[in-house]
Structure formats: structure tokens, C-alpha cells
Amino acid sequence: RYEAERKKRELEYQQIQQQKQMEEQQRKQQQEEQRRLEKEKKDYEDKLRRDEAQRQEREAKERLALLKQQEKEQKKNEAKEKKKLKESQKQEIKNQKRLEKQQKQEMLIQERELELERNRSLQAERALAPAELTSNSLVEISSKKADKIAKSAISLSVL
């Protein structure tokens, strides 16, 4: 009887020990599973952070490339505008020189016309009787011609 009780206690002790071992093993498995899940969660969050950082870096590079492209376009446009302005200034100078040349030619033509008119007047005066001409009429004719020359010079300077 004593032996049976001892065996019974031993068996109970072994069962308790097995139960404790099973519980301990389950606890370790749960802890291991919890660690694994936490690691997976951490790895996933790290991946999300890396992906976000890469996305932001890519967007920053795209913005930088866009800014560089816009700056390049702006410089190109400024160069075009500068070139247009230079061409415009060249054309303006050319037009001014052409106008000045034209004005000089017109002035020369007027001077020639006045010279011809003066020569015709002198010839007409010579054809008239020399006695009829007085010094007053010569002064009057000369002052009229001087007025004509002054008016043409003024009109040319206005142009």
C-alpha cells in the first residue's frame, strides 16, 4: 500500500512536472510568437519609413530637376529677349542712319534747288534792265532766299 501511494504521488508529481513543462513551453512559444510578430511589425514599419524616405527623395529630385529645367528655359528666354533687343537696337540705329542720310539728301536737294532758284533769279534780274534794279530790290530778294533756306533747315531739323 505504501508503495502504491508512493507511485501514485510520483505519478502525480510527474504529471504536475509535465504540466509545468507544457505550460512553460507554451509560454516560451507565445513569447517567441510575440517577439516574431513584434519583429515583423518593426520590419514592416521600417520598410514603410524607407519607402516614404525614398519617395520624398525622389520627389525632391524631381522638383530640383524641374527647377533646373525652368531656370534653363528662363535663361534661354532671356537670351532670346536680349538678342531680340540687340537686333531691335541695331535696326533702330540702321533706321536712324538711313533717316539722317535721307535728311541730308533732302537738304542737299533743297540747297541745289535754292541754288538753281538763285541762279534763275540772277539771270532774270540780269535780263531786266539794269537801271530798274536798285540796291533795295537786291536786298529784298536775298532776304527772301535766306528765309527760304532757314525754313527748309528748320523743317529738316524737325524730321
Side-chain angles (χ1 to χ4, degrees):
R1 192 173 166 191
Y2 175 77
E3 203 49 43
E5 287 231 3
R6 189 178 65 79
K7 282 191 176 187
K8 185 180 171 188
R9 273 187 269 151
E10 241 179 65
L11 187 61
E12 285 176 358
Y13 179 75
Q14 284 178 349
Q15 285 177 345
I16 290 172
Q17 287 300 322
Q18 283 179 345
Q19 182 69 29
K20 283 183 178 179
Q21 281 179 345
M22 282 178 57
E23 286 174 0
E24 181 64 23
Q25 193 175 6
Q26 278 184 337
R27 188 183 61 75
K28 283 183 179 179
Q29 284 177 345
Q30 285 176 343
Q31 284 177 344
E32 189 62 36
E33 182 66 17
Q34 184 66 29
R35 277 190 227 114
R36 188 185 63 76
L37 289 174
E38 286 175 4
K39 184 180 182 318
E40 281 181 12
K41 180 180 177 185
K42 182 182 177 294
D43 290 348
Y44 180 73
E45 289 172 349
D46 288 347
K47 182 186 181 308
L48 287 179
R49 277 194 291 277
R50 280 192 310 273
D51 289 350
E52 179 64 17
Q54 287 174 346
R55 184 188 65 77
Q56 288 178 357
E57 184 179 346
R58 186 176 57 251
E59 287 177 357
K61 285 180 180 178
E62 289 171 358
R63 283 192 303 273
L64 182 63
L66 181 62
L67 284 174
K68 284 183 178 180
Q69 180 65 27
Q70 288 174 341
E71 191 176 296
K72 186 177 176 183
E73 286 293 323
Q74 185 178 359
K75 284 182 180 180
K76 187 177 173 183
N77 289 339
E78 286 173 359
K80 278 185 183 179
E81 286 298 319
K82 197 173 182 180
K83 187 176 179 182
K84 277 184 185 179
L85 182 61
K86 261 189 170 178
E87 287 297 320
S88 175
Q89 289 172 340
K90 274 185 182 178
Q91 190 62 39
E92 185 64 33
I93 290 170
K94 199 174 181 181
N95 289 344
Q96 187 65 32
K97 286 182 178 180
R98 186 179 44 76
L99 184 61
E100 288 173 4
K101 186 176 178 182
Q102 185 180 351
Q103 288 175 346
K104 284 180 183 178
Q105 287 176 341
E106 288 175 3
M107 209 157 90
L108 286 174
I109 290 170
Q110 285 184 351
E111 286 175 9
R112 286 183 190 141
E113 287 175 355
L114 287 174
E115 185 67 29
L116 287 173
E117 181 66 30
R118 193 170 56 102
N119 287 341
R120 277 192 230 116
S121 295
L122 286 174
Q123 287 175 357
E125 288 175 13
R126 287 185 192 138
L128 291 175
E132 293 177 12
L133 289 175
T134 64
S135 63
N136 285 342
S137 63
L138 287 175
V139 169
E140 191 177 307
I141 292 169
S142 296
S143 70
K144 285 180 185 176
K145 288 183 181 169
D147 287 342
K148 251 186 179 180
I149 291 171
K151 283 180 185 175
S152 67
I154 290 170
S155 67
L156 284 177
S157 68
V158 168
L159 290 175

